[in-house]
Amino acid sequence: MTDAAPLKALLSEDEIPTHWYNIVADLPSPPPPHLHPGTREPLTPEDLAPLFPPGMIEQELSTERWIEIPEEVRDIYRLWRPSPFHRALRLEQALGTTARIYYKYEGASPVGSHKTNSAVPQAYFNKLAGRTRLTTETGAGQWGSALAFASQIYGLTCDIWQVRSSFESKPYRHALMETFGATCYPSPSDITEAGRALRERFPDTTGSLGMAISEAVEAAGKDPDASYSLGSVLNHVALHQTVIGQEVLKQLPMLGESQIDYLFACAGGGSNLAGISFPIIRENLAGRQSTKIVACEPQAAPSLTQGEYRYDFGDTEGTTPLLKMYTLGADFVPDPVHAGGLRYHAMAPLVSFCKHEGLMDAVAIGQREAFEAGVLFARAEGIVPASESNHAIAGAFRQARQATAEGSSPVIVIGVSGSGQLDLPAYTEYLSGQMSDG
Amino acid sequence: MTDAAPLKALLSEDEIPTHWYNIVADLPSPPPPHLHPGTREPLTPEDLAPLFPPGMIEQELSTERWIEIPEEVRDIYRLWRPSPFHRALRLEQALGTTARIYYKYEGASPVGSHKTNSAVPQAYFNKLAGRTRLTTETGAGQWGSALAFASQIYGLTCDIWQVRSSFESKPYRHALMETFGATCYPSPSDITEAGRALRERFPDTTGSLGMAISEAVEAAGKDPDASYSLGSVLNHVALHQTVIGQEVLKQLPMLGESQIDYLFACAGGGSNLAGISFPIIRENLAGRQSTKIVACEPQAAPSLTQGEYRYDFGDTEGTTPLLKMYTLGADFVPDPVHAGGLRYHAMAPLVSFCKHEGLMDAVAIGQREAFEAGVLFARAEGIVPASESNHAIAGAFRQARQATAEGSSPVIVIGVSGSGQLDLPAYTEYLSGQMSDG
């Protein structure tokens, strides 16, 4: 077991990236623009003004390679960043693999996931624009709790509509939102017109992300001091997450490696995958790395592996701009798998474009395989991964087993996007043999 | 907000302490020995042999100042140690205090608390002695999940009896034990004689720590390959936890400080308090620090502030050795406050002796004051503290407010023993105004 080399690469706070990386500047061709749903013309800054503050609109449409991270945002990142990068030596031994496995862990953030990387700048730029209130929707609650945390940092009111079934079955998550000072409503609620109408039409509904979006958008639209905020899919969210991959590139040589052969990250809306992979795609394009990047999506929502690449809406109600994405259709409702963060009908436009251009691959993973991998990971490394992250771990295990069979020793990096402490009932379900394969 | 100095002091893995610190070697006089409950003579190694493996007995009775940490244990510590030491700059601003506040955070361990610091060596020394199975009791589940993790590291079977009311109300904790491969029984169970007898006498009982101890001790006693394992109170447990305080002393100058004026740590059985304070008491005794150490105990179990200093049993059934402790009486049952880890009728003999000798002070904190402090801490620092840790934070707040009133700027260090992610329902209860003051 003893190994002279350290297991963890720790960076100091002054090594937190100073800029977010915008992959648009380096893509072989410009990605297809977002379209206005009425005119089908490319979206203008003015089109986005009712929804987002100027800082976010600028970032959403930017083609600049590097966008400076405001000092006020880096100052909050310092509470938990840089995040650690680990050699998974005990995991390698448990697998009996010849591969060398590393993981980047985002679970030590205030809410236990990467989501705060984007929630903090979104709250900051809203504050800068004079907004006093943010509204959003959340499913399992990772994004909602991140925005709750970020809102109270900048003194903003935060109202969150959480899918009713999750609100009721995951009380720890809305307790976290409330601890950070947000108000969390089970959706559909009776405090919006959309919510009341939905409750009348579907009295027994357990809610859906589409319904919750409708409520959060309506609430922001009726309040000139409020903005609506989104935790994935859009370009500016992917941008914020690139602190993850930039840190990985600094940490890799600290553990004695220079090349990443394979990178596995889970993908729902795509923000975590974009965050860890885009800085590495930049290295690939410049010939400094030749990393095979593999998006690990759930079998229950296999947009990259089974979807069509076309313009579609981001929500089920058809109210958002049209985005060019791999999509299963805006009305596709994934099975209720535990990885709530991966239950999305489509994939972020920038991730979709990268996949379409051959800059990354994708696999779909069933949730039993994901949790089998998660349990093995927890027992070896002492970290219980988030349900979502288990998909990336399972993808990496497939590769590690292949390497062992071939007798090769590739460097495999896993993006572990979050902690599974609040997903523990799903582990019980898996261990008792009652989990469906989703 | 921006401050040039870093907020976190991070040590590298080769700075994990190489030895545990045994305060017995430095105390002004020898602490009173444990006594055999029958003969009332000082306990011999032979008396302890049926309960513990040789390594633990040696440590329990040792007077050596430094006890080497086996390489196999440090190797597991490397998964999460050294733990971070933070400047709480945002918390200071939220309090508007003139004090400088720091905290040592043990919540990033595999189970979210300091308990793994002792669970890992206990499992290791049992493995070394050829034991294949460990049994223990747990209340809220912090200790049980730590021993579950440590047992699977060394390939030991782990059977845990959890107080039935906690087993039922805290499903996330036993899910964690099961994820780490342990078996967790609600106590009283029907698989021990003690459990069956208790169920017959008290058919509707929700269980107690005393009952769970009886079951775990019986199960170990009937199996020659098993040992019983304890998460607090005894000398060897306090010893293992001294990695915490040793790291603090290395980290303090990294953030530009040389003196700690006040140290606050929560105290139930005493292991977390001992771990962070004993290395600092050593500095006090040598004249290198003049730190006022304050044990923060719950109003519901105020052993140090209201108990008697006398010999008493460690369990409610009167089966353990007699220990010289501050005690409320072995039959004292604390109110069911949320800080389950602090609900103990007495205090570790070494901590009690330090208090009796004037080497530390103590305060009792009500749980509403504790949670008020915890919410403020979470919102400022982005870490939701464990229910137990909130007592230390509240104690520190009293001191910080006094400093502000006096216009002084003392250095205050808080031991944040764990994460409150699995205590979130208690936060909801506090925020909704429904928490009793306990």
Side-chain angles (χ1 to χ4, degrees):
Chain A
M1 192 90 68
T2 303
D3 198 66
L7 291 180
K8 303 185 289 289
L10 304 173
L11 294 169
S12 64
E13 289 164 36
D14 55 15
E15 293 174 287
I16 294 172
T18 56
H19 293 72
W20 292 301
Y21 169 62
N22 184 5
I23 197 171
V24 173
D26 288 320
L27 289 171
S29 60
H34 308 337
L35 301 183
H36 189 286
T39 65
R40 297 190 75 98
E41 290 296 315
L43 218 56
T44 65
E46 294 69 37
D47 294 332
L48 288 168
L51 278 171
F52 299 111
M56 294 297 83
I57 295 171
E58 201 177 301
Q59 291 175 15
E60 184 63 26
L61 303 175
S62 173
T63 56
E64 292 294 312
R65 181 173 291 112
W66 297 106
I67 294 175
E68 191 169 6
I69 306 177
E71 199 52 49
E72 294 85 345
V73 169
R74 289 184 83 226
D75 223 41
I76 304 303
Y77 280 173
R78 291 164 71 203
L79 290 175
W80 74 94
R81 300 211 73 82
S83 69
F85 182 70
H86 296 254
R87 172 81 183 265
L89 205 55
R90 288 179 44 81
L91 180 63
E92 292 168 21
Q93 290 161 344
L95 286 170
T97 183
T98 51
R100 296 200 294 285
I101 304 179
Y102 296 84
Y103 62 98
K104 177 72 167 169
Y105 184 54
E106 291 293 307
S109 89
V111 303
S113 81
H114 67 291
K115 291 291 187 190
T116 42
N117 296 332
S118 184
V120 171
Q122 288 196 46
Y124 170 75
F125 282 103
N126 272 290
K127 170 81 173 178
L128 210 63
R131 309 289 162 91
T132 58
R133 179 175 170 229
L134 294 179
T135 72
T136 197
E137 76 291 330
T138 196
Q142 292 270 26
W143 167 247
S145 49
L147 196 68
F149 166 73
S151 295
Q152 62 87 30
I153 289 283
Y154 297 110
L156 306 175
T157 302
C158 184
D159 290 317
I160 301 161
W161 279 262
Q162 183 174 24
V163 176
R164 183 174 291 271
S165 57
S166 293
F167 183 93
E168 284 163 3
S169 68
K170 295 177 190 290
Y172 285 55
R173 290 261 191 232
H174 67 81
L176 187 54
M177 299 180 221
E178 289 152 10
T179 298
F180 286 132
T183 306
C184 185
Y185 305 101
S187 170
S189 72
D190 56 10
I191 61 165
T192 66
E193 282 176 29
R196 285 189 294 270
L198 286 160
R199 283 163 71 105
E200 207 170 296
R201 274 164 61 202
F202 312 107
D204 300 323
T205 184
T206 53
S208 77
L209 220 38
M211 294 178 187
I213 292 176
S214 303
E215 293 200 270
V217 167
E218 178 192 318
K222 287 187 167 173
D223 179 353
D225 296 325
S227 272
Y228 170 68
S229 195
L230 208 71
S232 191
V233 181
L234 292 177
N235 297 5
H236 66 277
V237 186
L239 178 80
H240 299 153
Q241 295 294 350
T242 60
V243 292
I244 306 174
Q246 291 183 66
E247 288 180 4
V248 167
L249 288 168
K250 283 189 192 173
Q251 289 168 310
L252 190 68
M254 294 170 71
L255 297 186
E257 302 287 358
S258 58
Q259 286 292 319
I260 303 172
D261 296 301
Y262 298 95
L263 172 69
F264 292 86
C266 62
S271 76
N272 159 69
L273 168 67
I276 195 166
S277 72
F278 284 2
I280 292 163
I281 290 178
R282 176 168 186 256
E283 298 301 295
N284 280 348
L285 290 169
R288 290 186 293 263
Q289 289 281 338
S290 56
T291 306
K292 181 173 172 179
I293 293 161
V294 186
C296 300
E297 58 182 14
Q299 266 177 17
S303 55
L304 285 174
T305 54
Q306 292 180 44
E308 279 182 85
Y309 187 54
R310 62 172 170 85
Y311 276 100
D312 198 2
F313 292 104
D315 70 332
T316 48
E317 309 291 304
T319 59
T320 70
L322 285 162
L323 308 171
K324 185 86 179 264
M325 311 185 279
Y326 281 95
T327 177
L328 299 158
D331 57 355
F332 179 84
V333 178
D335 281 347
V337 289
H338 287 285
L342 305 183
R343 292 182 62 218
Y344 190 63
H345 68 276
M347 186 57 65
L350 285 177
V351 168
S352 294
F353 187 68
C354 285
K355 167 70 164 51
H356 189 253
E357 295 296 304
L359 303 177
M360 62 169 66
D361 291 302
V363 293
I365 307 270
Q367 71 173 347
R368 276 208 297 267
E369 181 181 349
F371 274 84
E372 182 186 8
V375 168
L376 205 148
F377 187 96
R379 293 182 180 179
E381 296 296 316
I383 285 173
V384 179
S387 305
E388 292 80 7
S389 311
N390 286 344
H391 294 73
I393 295 168
F397 282 11
R398 291 185 184 177
Q399 198 68 51
R401 290 187 175 114
Q402 188 185 317
T404 311
E406 295 168 1
S408 63
S409 297
V411 169
I412 298 176
V413 171
I414 310 173
V416 178
S417 56
S419 157
Q421 293 273 322
L422 300 189
D423 296 323
L424 280 165
Y427 279 84
T428 301
E429 191 178 310
Y430 168 75
L431 290 166
S432 65
Q434 287 164 8
M435 181 175 276
S436 71
D437 204 26
Chain B
M1 193 88 71
T2 303
D3 198 65
L7 292 180
K8 303 184 289 291
L10 303 173
L11 295 169
S12 64
E13 289 163 37
D14 55 17
E15 293 174 288
I16 294 172
T18 56
H19 293 72
W20 292 302
Y21 168 61
N22 184 5
I23 197 171
V24 173
D26 287 321
L27 288 171
S29 60
H34 308 337
L35 301 183
H36 189 285
T39 64
R40 297 189 74 98
E41 289 295 315
L43 218 57
T44 64
E46 293 69 37
D47 293 332
L48 288 167
L51 279 170
F52 298 112
M56 293 298 84
I57 296 172
E58 201 178 302
Q59 290 175 14
E60 185 63 25
L61 303 176
S62 173
T63 56
E64 292 292 315
R65 180 172 292 113
W66 297 106
I67 295 175
E68 190 169 6
I69 306 177
E71 199 52 50
E72 293 85 346
V73 169
R74 287 185 84 227
D75 223 41
I76 304 303
Y77 279 172
R78 290 164 73 203
L79 290 175
W80 74 94
R81 299 209 74 82
S83 69
F85 182 70
H86 296 254
R87 171 81 183 267
L89 204 56
R90 287 181 44 79
L91 180 63
E92 292 167 22
Q93 290 161 345
L95 287 171
T97 184
T98 52
R100 297 200 293 286
I101 304 180
Y102 296 83
Y103 61 98
K104 177 72 168 170
Y105 185 53
E106 291 293 308
S109 89
V111 303
S113 82
H114 67 292
K115 291 292 188 189
T116 41
N117 296 332
S118 184
V120 171
Q122 288 196 45
Y124 171 75
F125 282 104
N126 272 289
K127 172 81 174 178
L128 211 64
R131 309 289 161 89
T132 59
R133 178 175 171 231
L134 294 178
T135 73
T136 198
E137 76 291 329
T138 197
Q142 292 269 26
W143 168 248
S145 48
L147 196 68
F149 166 73
S151 295
Q152 62 88 30
I153 289 282
Y154 298 110
L156 306 175
T157 302
C158 184
D159 290 318
I160 301 161
W161 278 264
Q162 183 174 24
V163 175
R164 183 174 291 271
S165 58
S166 294
F167 183 93
E168 284 164 4
S169 68
K170 295 178 190 291
Y172 285 55
R173 291 262 192 232
H174 68 80
L176 187 54
M177 299 181 221
E178 289 153 9
T179 298
F180 286 131
T183 306
C184 184
Y185 305 101
S187 169
S189 72
D190 56 9
I191 60 165
T192 66
E193 281 176 29
R196 285 189 295 269
L198 286 160
R199 283 163 73 105
E200 208 170 294
R201 275 164 61 201
F202 311 108
D204 299 323
T205 184
T206 54
S208 77
L209 220 38
M211 294 178 186
I213 292 176
S214 303
E215 293 200 90
V217 167
E218 178 192 319
K222 286 187 166 171
D223 179 354
D225 296 325
S227 273
Y228 170 68
S229 194
L230 207 70
S232 192
V233 182
L234 292 177
N235 298 5
H236 66 277
V237 185
L239 178 81
H240 299 153
Q241 296 293 352
T242 60
V243 292
I244 305 173
Q246 291 183 67
E247 288 180 5
V248 168
L249 288 168
K250 283 188 193 174
Q251 290 167 311
L252 190 68
M254 295 169 70
L255 298 186
E257 302 287 357
S258 58
Q259 286 290 320
I260 302 173
D261 296 302
Y262 298 95
L263 173 69
F264 291 86
C266 63
S271 77
N272 158 69
L273 167 67
I276 194 166
S277 72
F278 284 3
I280 291 163
I281 291 178
R282 176 168 185 256
E283 299 301 294
N284 280 347
L285 291 169
R288 290 185 293 263
Q289 289 280 339
S290 55
T291 307
K292 181 174 170 178
I293 294 162
V294 185
C296 299
E297 57 182 15
Q299 267 177 16
S303 54
L304 285 174
T305 53
Q306 293 180 44
E308 279 182 83
Y309 187 54
R310 63 172 169 84
Y311 275 101
D312 198 2
F313 292 105
D315 70 330
T316 48
E317 309 291 303
T319 59
T320 68
L322 284 162
L323 308 172
K324 184 86 178 265
M325 312 186 279
Y326 281 94
T327 177
L328 299 158
D331 57 354
F332 179 84
V333 179
D335 281 347
V337 290
H338 287 285
L342 306 183
R343 292 182 62 219
Y344 189 63
H345 68 277
M347 186 57 65
L350 284 177
V351 169
S352 294
F353 187 68
C354 286
K355 168 69 166 51
H356 189 255
E357 295 295 304
L359 302 176
M360 63 168 66
D361 290 303
V363 292
I365 307 268
Q367 72 174 345
R368 275 207 298 265
E369 181 182 347
F371 274 84
E372 182 186 7
V375 167
L376 205 148
F377 186 96
R379 291 181 182 180
E381 296 296 316
I383 284 174
V384 179
S387 306
E388 291 81 7
S389 312
N390 285 344
H391 293 73
I393 295 168
F397 282 12
R398 291 184 185 180
Q399 197 69 52
R401 289 185 176 118
Q402 188 185 317
T404 311
E406 295 169 357
S408 63
S409 297
V411 169
I412 298 176
V413 171
I414 311 172
V416 178
S417 56
S419 157
Q421 293 272 322
L422 300 189
D423 296 323
L424 280 164
Y427 279 84
T428 301
E429 191 178 310
Y430 167 74
L431 290 166
S432 66
Q434 288 165 6
M435 181 175 276
S436 71
D437 204 27

